[in-house]
Amino acid sequence: MNDNLSDIELIRQVLRENNPRAFEMLMQRYSLPVYSAAVRLMHDEEDAAEVTQMAFIQAYKQLASWQGGNFGAWVTAIANHIGLRLLEKEKRRGEVRFDDAQCTTDVADETYNEQREQQLQTLEQAVAQLPEQEQQIIRWHYYEGVPLQQIACRLGQTENNIKVRLFRIRERLKKKIEHGNDN
């Protein structure tokens, strides 16, 4: 198989011809960046390898729903989502990993980490209250790294319109967060 095929061509081969070799090539291209992102998130190489594997399995299952953009960023976003879910499960169970214990021995670090985690949860709750299309714009732009021009094409709008919408969405999110998500 030609190693010079674009991501889109490989994805077409997977979807139309059910060609497993094409997906293997995508995995070869993006496994290291996805794994690196997972290591940064999980702070554990074994967990990162598991998250990477799960992300590619999920990407394969959802490949038909991929809407263009940077495939590597899309798989990385899936890995981040999986990793965050695993970390949340560990936290709920009260599991503490050695790496986590080392990183949070300082009281100031613990306070900062707790505040940061609370801010992220508050932001996720605020985003979840947005209309579906606005949530999609946020996912495409911030999680999947889709350029504004592509978002505009997908939605049949101008790039400037998308910039204005993102600005307004961010302002509403800021107000929701400042006033307790009730607005």
Side-chain angles (χ1 to χ4, degrees):
M1 179 169 284
N2 186 351
D3 288 342
N4 296 327
L5 293 176
S6 71
D7 292 350
I8 293 172
E9 291 167 331
L10 290 170
I11 290 168
R12 283 184 185 140
Q13 286 187 12
V14 173
L15 294 175
R16 291 185 183 154
E17 301 167 21
N18 201 18
N19 182 346
R21 177 72 180 117
F23 195 77
E24 287 174 21
M25 290 181 71
L26 288 167
M27 288 175 51
Q28 288 172 354
R29 282 183 191 171
Y30 296 107
S31 62
L32 185 58
V34 172
Y35 173 76
S36 297
V39 167
R40 286 190 300 275
L41 177 66
M42 304 302 292
H43 302 290
D44 181 86
E45 291 180 2
E46 287 181 26
D47 288 345
E50 182 179 344
V51 165
T52 301
Q53 181 180 10
M54 292 169 65
F56 278 104
I57 291 169
Q58 188 77 17
Y60 183 79
K61 290 178 180 177
Q62 295 179 350
L63 197 56
S65 69
W66 179 67
Q67 298 178 349
N70 184 326
F71 180 80
W74 183 64
V75 177
T76 302
I78 291 171
N80 284 333
H81 183 72
I82 290 169
L84 289 171
R85 277 196 332 238
L86 290 173
L87 289 172
E88 184 62 30
K89 283 181 184 177
E90 285 179 0
K91 183 180 174 189
R92 275 188 260 137
R93 289 185 194 136
E95 295 176 15
V96 177
R97 292 199 248 119
F98 181 69
D99 290 345
D100 292 341
Q102 282 183 325
C103 292
T104 58
T105 54
D106 183 28
V107 173
D109 284 346
E110 285 181 22
T111 302
Y112 174 78
N113 288 338
E114 289 173 11
Q115 289 172 342
R116 182 75 177 138
E117 189 172 313
Q118 181 60 42
Q119 288 171 341
L120 289 173
Q121 284 181 334
T122 302
L123 178 60
E124 287 175 7
Q125 290 170 354
V127 168
Q129 293 176 3
L130 292 171
E132 182 58 37
Q133 190 175 62
E134 291 180 356
Q135 288 181 40
Q136 186 64 53
I137 292 170
I138 294 290
R139 279 193 297 270
W140 282 336
H141 186 65
Y142 292 107
Y143 295 103
E144 297 176 21
V146 177
L148 293 175
Q149 187 177 19
Q150 270 191 329
I151 295 172
C153 286
R154 290 177 183 179
L155 297 177
Q157 299 177 4
T158 66
E159 186 175 346
N160 282 337
N161 188 313
I162 297 301
K163 287 179 184 177
V164 169
R165 287 186 73 184
L166 272 172
F167 174 80
R168 289 179 179 162
I169 292 168
R170 285 191 304 264
E171 289 298 308
R172 279 205 328 273
L173 287 172
K174 184 177 175 183
K175 286 180 184 176
K176 282 181 178 287
I177 290 168
E178 288 174 353
H179 300 355
N181 271 344
D182 296 330
N183 299 336

